[in-house]
C-alpha cells in the first residue's frame, strides 16, 4: 500500500512537470557586441589620463612637438639622466634636429640603460594602458630593461578599448602582425614577497608618457 502511494506521488510530479511550459532559452549572444558599457566621458584623453595616473604612470601633456622636446629636456635635467636610448630611426631624426642628446645604438646599453624612449601602437582609455609591439626598432628590450620607460604618443592614437587598439595594429601591419603585443599598465610591480609592493621587479620602475596633442583645432 505504501509503495503504491509513493509511486502515485512520483508519477503525479512527473505529469505536473510535463504540463509546464518549456524553460526559456535565451537567444544566441551577440559576440560582436562590446563587453563593457560605453565610456561616460567622450574626451578619451581625460579618461586615459585619469586611469593612467591611477596605475602609477607619469603623464606629461605636450601641446606640440616643440613642447615635447622642451618637456623631454626638462625631464632629463630634473632626473639627472645621462643616457636615453633611442633606436627608432624617426625618433632619432627628431631628437637630433631638436638638439637633444641620446644613445642611438646598443653600445653600453646593459651598462648605462637609465631610460629608453619608444613610440607605441595605441593608448587604451578604459584601462589607461599603452599598447606596444615588437615591430619598431626598439623591440622588446627597450620597453623592459631600462629603469625608466619613456613613451611618446599622439592624441590621435587614443582609442576606447583593446578591440580598437588591435584593429589599428591589423590595419598598420597586415597581413604580417608583430610577434609581440603587450599592454603596459603602469610601472612594473610585484607584492609576492611578504606582501610588500616592490617597483621594477620585472621591468621599468617608472613609466612616463609624453602625449602630444595633434588634434588641436586652430
Amino acid at each position: 500500500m505504501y509503495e503504491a502511494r509513493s509511486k502515485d506521488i512520483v508519477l503525479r510530479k512527473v505529469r505536473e512537470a510535463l504540463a509546464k511550459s518549456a524553460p526559456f532559452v535565451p537567444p544566441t549572444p551577440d559576440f560582436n557586441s562590446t563587453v563593457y558599457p560605453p565610456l561616460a566621458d567622450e574626451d578619451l584623453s581625460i579618461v586615459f589620463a585619469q586611469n593612467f595616473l591611477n596605475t602609477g604612470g607619469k603623464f606629461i601633456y605636450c601641446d606640440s612637438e616643440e613642447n615635447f622636446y622642451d618637456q623631454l629636456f626638462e625631464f632629463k635635467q630634473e632626473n639627472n639622466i645621462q643616457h636615453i636610448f633611442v633606436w627608432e630611426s624617426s625618433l632619432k631624426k627628431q631628437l637630433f634636429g631638436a638638439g637633444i642628446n641620446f644613445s642611438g645604438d646598443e653600445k653600453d646599453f646593459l651598462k648605462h640603460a637609465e631610460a629608453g624612449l619608444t613610440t607605441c601602437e595605441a593608448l587604451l582609455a578604459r584601462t589607461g594602458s599603452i599598447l606596444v609591439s615588437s615591430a619598431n626598432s626598439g623591440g622588446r628590450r627597450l620597453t623592459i630593461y631600462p629603469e625608466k620607460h619613456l613613451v611618446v604618443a599622439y592624441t590621435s592614437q587614443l582609442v576606447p578599448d583593446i578591440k580598437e587598439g588591435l584593429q589599428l595594429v591589423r590595419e598598420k601591419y597586415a597581413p604580417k602582425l608583430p610577434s609581440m603585443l603587450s599592454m603596459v599598465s603602469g610601472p612594473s610591480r610585484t607584492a609576492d614577497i611578504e606582501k610588500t609592493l616592490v617597483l621594477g621587479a620585472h621591468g621599468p620602475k617608472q613609466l612616463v608618457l609624453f602625449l602630444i596633442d595633434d588634434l588641436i583645432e586652430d
Side-chain angles (χ1 to χ4, degrees), residues 83-158:
H83 301 88
I84 289 184
F85 284 83
V86 182
W87 293 342
E88 297 175 54
S89 58
S90 59
L91 273 182
K92 289 194 288 186
K93 184 177 180 180
Q94 286 177 277
L95 298 187
F96 179 80
I100 297 178
N101 294 327
F102 61 90
S103 299
D105 54 39
E106 299 187 39
K107 182 180 179 181
D108 295 328
F109 174 64
L110 299 181
K111 184 178 179 181
H112 297 300
E114 300 172 71
L117 176 65
T118 72
T119 58
C120 67
E121 302 297 346
L123 303 174
L124 314 181
R126 187 180 299 278
T127 58
S129 304
I130 300 174
L131 184 64
V132 298
S133 80
S134 59
N136 60 49
S137 303
R140 293 174 171 85
R141 287 183 297 164
L142 209 52
T143 63
I144 295 176
Y145 188 81
E147 185 177 284
K148 301 179 188 298
H149 181 197
L150 315 182
V151 181
V152 56
Y154 293 87
T155 50
S156 57
Q157 292 180 282
L158 282 161

Side-chain angles (χ1 to χ4, degrees), residues 154-175:
Y154 293 87
T155 50
S156 57
Q157 292 180 282
L158 282 161
V159 295
D161 287 293
I162 180 63
K163 178 181 178 181
E164 290 82 2
L166 293 177
Q167 183 60 36
L168 288 180
V169 173
R170 293 190 189 99
E171 293 172 357
K172 183 177 180 179
Y173 297 107

Side-chain angles (χ1 to χ4, degrees), residues 20-36:
K20 295 179 180 179
S21 59
F24 172 74
V25 179
T28 303
D30 182 6
F31 292 106
N32 293 320
S33 63
T34 179
V35 176
Y36 304 103

Side-chain angles (χ1 to χ4, degrees), residues 38-48 50 125 155 158-160 215:
L39 294 174
D41 198 319
E42 294 183 357
D43 192 337
L44 293 182
S45 62
I46 295 176
V47 177
F48 172 85
Q50 291 174 338
T155 50
L158 282 161
V159 295
L215 298 178

